[in-house]
Amino acid sequence: MKRRDFLESLAIGGLGLLVAPRALWAEDGEGGSALFAVPTNTGITGSVVVLGGGMAGTTLAKYLRLWGGTGVSVTLVEKEATYTSNIMSNKVLTGQLTLPDLVYRYDVLANHYGVSLVRGEVVGIDTGARRLSLADGSSIAWDRLVVAPGLEFDLMPGMSSASQYDTLVPHAWKAGPQTQLLRNQLLALAGGTRTGDVVMTIPKAPYRCPPGPYERACVVADWLRRNSVPGKLIVLDANPDIIVEKANFAAAFAGGSGFTVDYRPGSTVTRIDPDTRTVEYTDATGAHSIAAGVLNPIPPQRAPKLLADAGLYDPAAGERSAPVSVLSYESTRVPGVHVVGDASSTTQPKAGHIGNQQGKTCADAILRALQGKAPDPAPVTNSACFTPITATTATWLSAVYQYSPETGKMAVPSFHNGGTPIAATGPSAGNYEDMLVWFETLMSDTFG
Ligand SMILES: Cc1cc2nc3c(=O)[nH]c(=O)nc-3n(C[C@H](O)[C@H](O)[C@H](O)COP(=O)(O)OP(=O)(O)OC[C@H]3O[C@@H](n4cnc5c(N)ncnc54)[C@H](O)[C@@H]3O)c2cc1C
């Protein structure tokens, strides 16, 4: 599939991205963008509570109303007033974007689609009583619950508190103040108030956004070179090799885009000292230690503890996210509770684009269930990934997943694209332009 064909396919409905990019929308009489109306005549009735207004939960809440109509009451419980996109947040590190550029609001969801918003942090999920407990002491009852809270981060060995990520060694794997802190630390290197190399660590897969750390390595190394910052970028990868788009990233790391990255695969971090920014690690050649100018440890990630406490996954069994049926995203442990996005365990990548797709698959399955019907027996999802390599170029990767009745999993179908299920292209300025269109389309489909 050619890149432009793919972008067009995103705008055609189904589980694709339903809307065209904002720039392409017809203007309505008041100068705003035309939005699809919530139908009043579907005959579907029901009530759904959604925990978490990120890429998966917001999409799900919107499409429950858009496809289900006014008879489906939807309540979204979200702890933050606005959402800050992780996608594109690596560009904040290089100064090409600021955090406010990545902020999305829930106004359209509430005012146009009629989703009831509850601002609050969920601290307990009582699956027996079917109630959520909130930090302010209130509670919310549910008929059907969808859980979409994203991920939590482990402490790296040697760390004593998660607050050390906020003040000393930001992971910045959730966009927000840590992203700005990491940007400031890089600026300190450029200004000479810090010296040394930049060291980034990558956890063993699966983690959120498989190409994300390699993308960050490229744009930071490109930024260091363009700004003549002394010091190099060292990447300590716990994986035995680059786990995605290997040819593209290996070429970039070796100098193909004008910068180099000191990439050290098979590196297991044994201890970090946040105060001295020292990282100790082992690889096939033995034990090593580096004192970094800037240390960016990307920690191992798991579904929030809240879900484990509710029996949605079992850490004692080695699970780190919630098992679900990918026909409906209903928990295989707790009937009537669905889990979408990064907190669910599937064969699809933990990615915002996939979260959007899972939100739609789950919304469709819930609406069918409210009508006494079984879920779609053959769901299809797609994932597109544009990865900035430099300030002006990006690579592109796409995969389509289809339900396999044999395995019960989402698999890359062999028939897609004439037998080539995954399409990828190397860095180019054209990909970079298309990346901006893709991002705006995805975020408009989710929050617009
Ligand atoms: C640097 C970086 C780059 C990335 N680039 C891409 C990319 O190019 N393409 C791509 O597809 N993906 C990308 N991703 C991955 C993507 O951001 C995530 O996969 C996606 O955000 C997951 O969506 P989610 O809805 O599961 O979780 P989130 O988007 O994290 O949303 C979870 C929401 O739940 C809320 N919440 C959590 N707990 C509670 C609670 N107890 N009570 C109330 N609310 C709660 C949170 O406040 C949040 O709003 C990137 C990630 C990073 C870090």
Side-chain angles (χ1 to χ4, degrees), residues 248-261:
N248 285 337
F249 289 120
F253 290 176
S257 292
F259 57 82
T260 56
V261 171

Side-chain angles (χ1 to χ4, degrees), residues 29 129 383 389 427:
S383 174
I389 299 292

Side-chain angles (χ1 to χ4, degrees), residues 52 54-56 78-79 83 86 120 122 149-150 173 208-209 341-342 351-353:
M55 297 302 295
E78 166 58 48
K79 64 181 173 183
Y83 180 74
N86 300 314
V122 175
W173 216 240
R208 160 180 281 180
C209 192
D342 288 356
H353 192 129

